[in-house]
Structure formats: C-alpha cells, structure tokens
Amino acid sequence: MEKLYPHKIVRGRAMTVMPSWLLYHVIGWSCICTCVLASTGFIKYTDRTLVCDPDRALQTSALGTNLACARKCKEQLVCTGFMLQLESERAGARLGTCLWCAANAVVNISYTPTDPPTVTWIHVLGQLLNPDKDILDISSSLSVGRIVTLQGTVSDPVPDHSEFSVYTKNDWNIAVAISLHFAYHGYNNTILIHTRTDGSWNTEARLPEGYFPFPPGGKIDFAVLATSEGFRVYINGDFVFTVTSTASWVGTIGHVSFKKINDVWITF
C-alpha cells in the first residue's frame, strides 16, 4: 500500500496495487491489503471505482505529482479522492493532470478493470483488520460520496446466517443491514436487505435464491455507497439495491457491525 499524509499507522502489512480508470471520468476506491490504520491520508486503490455523474463538470488542475494533487484535494471539503492521469516523468517524479468530482456527483461504483495510465487515490478516514468487537465506531459519519466496505470469508461449515449493518450515530437505527441466510428463519441461501427504525425492522429487498455467491470458505465483499439518492448496496462486485427509505440518514452514520463473518477487514 502507498500512503500520502498518514497521521498515524497503528499496525500494517500491505501489498502494492495497480492504478485504475473508467469511462465518464471516475474516482477510484479499492484495495488489496491487510492493515490496521488510523489515518486521514490518501491511499492508492484498484479493483472498484466510484463513478461520477457524466452530466456534472469534472474538476482538473495543472500538471503535478500525487502529492500536489493530494494537497489540492484536501483544500476542498467536497473532494473525497482524485486521479492522476499520467503524462510524463521528470527526475523520477511521475507527473500528470489531477482529476476529481464533487462528492455529491458520485453516483455509482464500477468493478470493471480499468486502464493503467491513471493512478487513483482516495482520502480514507480509517481501516480496521479483524476487530476485537463486532460493533465498531467508524469515527465519522458516512457522508455523500463516501463508501464503507467489509471484506471477509464464510465459515466452513457455513453458519445459519451472516450480517453486516450500518447504524446511525446517535441511536441504534439501522440505515442498511445486509443479511445472508444460509438456513435461517425459513430462508435458505437467500440475501435480505433490511432497515430498522425505532425498533421496527423493514425488509427493503429479498434477493432470489439463484443469486447467492457464498460457498463455504468463500469470500464476502460488501460495499455501501452513500449518495444523495440513498445507500447503494454492492455484494461481491455486483450492484444489488438502493435503499431510499433511509436516504435522509446519509451523514448521520457512526457505527457498523458484523455477525458470523471471518477474517474481517473494514474500511471507510
């Protein structure tokens, strides 16, 4: 992993990843790493990419380095990440044009592999590897244009169910809960997306049994993107549903939790 502006590294072990790019101009978010990091710095990502609204103007800056782009991005509250579209190299420094879009113009995530000439960096708030608690303070609200992810594995043999939930900051209302029902409450190999308001659960979506990519020992990859339209849910690289009923809670998220998931890595 490469970092710009780290405030504190608690513990880390990482692998360098390749840069990425996407049609319509995009801001990337992905990582292959194992680390425990408390940082307000920038990390280079690959694999998944935040997509900007093609009808909104993409911001650019003069030719510069990763460091110059990061400084420019940090000057603006609406910048959650940037790309460096490489153009030349001088004295060992890789130079290019900085590209980014405002947070409220982030509309989607793409898991499509992208071209290598553009290096992508995201301003992350924190990462946690194998937390010793199953309910975690994520240190800051999940605001528009940001994403929280959980990566892990399924037990072998499988549990009755696994779950990842995103809570509001000041109470125990749940904006999004992604539940994998292997054999639980009458559901077999089914995915349910729930919300909870004042103690009442609501089923927002039930995915068909034909879509259940979770074999024993297999990977779990959840992503929840906060947008002005609601919380977009991605599972193992697939977009599955947008929760709109709790859209007004974007910006009030303070906790996440997980149940019966191994090898947990959470980033936000």
Side-chain angles (χ1 to χ4, degrees), residues 2-168:
E2 297 181 43
K3 302 183 294 299
L4 297 177
Y5 298 143
H7 284 191
K8 180 181 179 184
I9 299 176
V10 179
R11 184 172 71 249
R13 178 171 63 88
M15 295 182 291
T16 302
V17 294
M18 295 297 294
S20 56
W21 174 246
L22 186 67
L23 186 64
Y24 291 142
H25 306 304
V26 293
I27 297 175
W29 186 296
S30 68
C31 186
I32 302 172
C33 71
T34 53
C35 55
V36 178
L37 174 68
S39 171
T40 54
F42 287 79
I43 297 178
K44 185 166 67 176
Y45 285 88
T46 188
D47 176 73
R48 67 198 68 186
T49 310
L50 294 182
V51 180
C52 296
D53 183 344
D55 295 326
R56 301 284 294 274
L58 189 71
Q59 305 297 312
T60 64
S61 70
L63 198 68
T65 63
N66 283 333
L67 194 59
C69 291
R71 287 172 177 159
K72 185 69 175 179
C73 184
K74 288 194 73 172
E75 292 173 357
Q76 305 171 72
L77 295 177
V78 297
C79 182
T80 57
F82 68 89
M83 295 163 298
L84 183 67
Q85 192 169 21
L86 297 174
E87 297 182 16
S88 65
E89 186 168 338
R90 298 178 193 164
R94 306 177 81 184
L95 303 177
T97 301
C98 304
L99 305 164
W100 69 91
C101 68
N104 63 3
V106 175
V107 295
N108 201 356
I109 299 174
S110 172
Y111 288 75
T112 304
T114 54
D115 296 332
T118 300
V119 178
T120 303
W121 297 80
I122 288 296
H123 185 198
V124 297
L125 300 177
Q127 301 178 55
L128 299 164
L129 174 67
N130 290 330
D132 57 4
K133 298 179 180 179
D134 58 6
I135 297 180
L136 309 167
D137 181 352
I138 64 171
S139 302
S140 181
S141 298
L142 182 62
S143 57
V144 170
R146 291 194 176 275
I147 180 175
V148 59
T149 65
L150 180 146
Q151 293 177 316
T153 58
V154 180
S155 299
D156 187 4
V158 296
D160 51 4
H161 73 294
S162 297
E163 185 175 293
F164 177 56
S165 300
V166 179
Y167 289 80
T168 55

